[in-house]
Amino acid sequence: MSDNLKLEKAEISHLPEIVRIEKESFSAPWSDASIASSIESELAHCVCLMQDEKVVGYAMFAFVFEEGELLNIAVDPALRGLGYGDRLLSHVTECALENKVERLFLEVRESNASARSLYKKHGFEELGVRKNYYRSPTEDAVIMVLKLN
């Protein structure tokens, strides 16, 4: 993995790059306003993976007491397969441990085999299914959990 990668707290100045990656990554992307709200939120954590001062990926997550949720994670489609998603997910897990989170949850499209594989590699287990959770196209979400304690 490249030595010139660093993680940093997402700022509003990162919004255009995050929005671009979001729109290139998802068929039903978050709105610009939702992303901006998450960046500015006191409750959510938003981090960017930076390479040469450019956003190459991001993760948004939240913790409430002993539970956490991975809200959103994406890597620039042109840079997938380089371990960047792995690096972001490792950071989220480290933050969860630091915040004494016992269970970290997420939802993922049933058809997203690469994401599900990444999550399983990090110890997430499939917990259940939310029927017709996603739109554009309509698809079930697989609920996954990582038990940290």
Side-chain angles (χ1 to χ4, degrees):
M1 193 175 314
S2 176
D3 290 335
N4 60 344
L5 289 175
K6 64 179 179 179
L7 284 158
E8 63 182 57
K9 184 180 184 308
E11 304 289 343
I12 286 298
S13 63
H14 297 129
L15 184 63
E17 291 176 279
I18 293 172
V19 166
R20 177 190 59 78
I21 294 169
E22 176 79 8
K23 289 181 178 174
E24 291 176 3
S25 298
F26 301 108
S27 59
W30 286 21
S31 69
D32 298 20
S34 291
I35 295 170
S37 177
S38 291
I39 290 171
E40 294 178 320
S41 171
E42 295 293 321
L43 301 176
H45 303 271
C46 303
V47 295
C48 292
L49 184 61
M50 307 294 291
Q51 182 177 50
D52 300 323
E53 305 307 316
K54 181 178 181 230
V55 177
V56 296
Y58 59 90
M60 300 177 187
F61 48 101
F63 306 135
V64 178
F65 299 109
E66 73 280 352
E67 294 195 343
E69 184 174 4
L70 177 62
L71 303 169
N72 203 351
I73 187 170
V75 171
D76 187 321
L79 299 171
R80 291 191 183 144
L82 300 174
Y84 295 174
D86 190 69
R87 178 116 173 228
L88 282 162
L89 193 53
S90 291
H91 177 74
V92 172
T93 303
E94 289 166 16
C95 290
L97 287 167
E98 289 169 7
N99 284 275
K100 303 199 179 357
V101 169
E102 296 176 9
R103 291 174 305 280
L104 185 60
F105 293 90
L106 61 83
E107 288 104 4
V108 59
R109 277 187 183 271
E110 192 169 47
S111 65
N112 193 341
S114 61
R116 288 171 69 183
S117 175
L118 174 66
Y119 300 140
K120 285 179 182 177
K121 175 182 164 188
H122 280 260
F124 282 84
E125 299 171 6
E126 295 186 356
L127 189 65
V129 173
R130 291 189 198 275
K131 291 300 221 183
N132 302 317
Y133 181 79
Y134 289 104
R135 303 283 175 250
S136 301
T138 299
E139 186 174 353
D140 294 347
V142 176
I143 303 164
M144 300 184 78
V145 63
L146 175 63
K147 295 173 186 164
L148 296 166
N149 290 346

